Amino acid sequence: MPITAFDLIADRSELITTSMNTPILNALALMHRHDYSQLPIVDQSKRQVGIVTAERILRTQRNLGASLEKLYVQHAATNAATVSPDDRL
C-alpha cells in the first residue's frame, strides 16, 4: 500500500501555522518550541498562502540589514508547493 501525504500527518495534533502579519520573532519562537524549521503561512480563512523558513528569515535579515525585531513574516514569505491528503509520496 503506498504512503500518502495524510499518512504523514494522521497522528499529529493541530497544524502549527503563522500569518503574514506575525512578527518574525514570534514565528521563530513557534519553530523553536515545536522543533520545526518552517511554518505554513495561512490567511484568515486558514488557506495556505505561503511558507516561512528559518533559512529564509536569516537571508531576509541579512539582505535587508534589519534587526529581527523589525521584521514580519511577510518580509520572509515564499511560495510553497501544496499536496492533497490522497497524494502519494
Side-chain angles (χ1 to χ4, degrees):
M1 184 167 147
I3 296 174
T4 65
F6 179 79
D7 294 330
L8 291 179
I9 62 170
D11 295 334
R12 305 253 176 167
S13 60
E14 184 177 338
L15 183 63
I16 306 300
T17 64
T18 190
S19 66
M20 289 288 194
N21 61 351
T22 300
I24 283 287
L25 289 176
N26 292 16
L28 284 171
L30 277 174
M31 289 180 199
H32 179 73
R33 184 176 324 129
H34 297 282
D35 196 26
Y36 293 156
S37 61
Q38 55 196 1
L39 292 174
I41 305 167
V42 297
D43 62 15
Q44 290 180 343
S45 300
K46 299 294 184 190
R47 188 174 49 93
Q48 184 176 359
V49 295
I51 194 165
V52 63
T53 68
E55 180 183 341
R56 181 77 178 211
I57 290 169
L58 294 174
R59 190 177 323 149
T60 299
Q61 180 191 25
R62 184 181 65 237
N63 291 342
L64 296 178
S67 68
L68 290 176
E69 292 82 7
K70 295 183 179 182
L71 295 176
Y72 290 83
V73 167
Q74 65 189 350
H75 295 117
T78 189
N79 294 330
T82 59
V83 297
S84 73
D86 296 329
D87 287 345
R88 292 179 182 184
L89 300 179

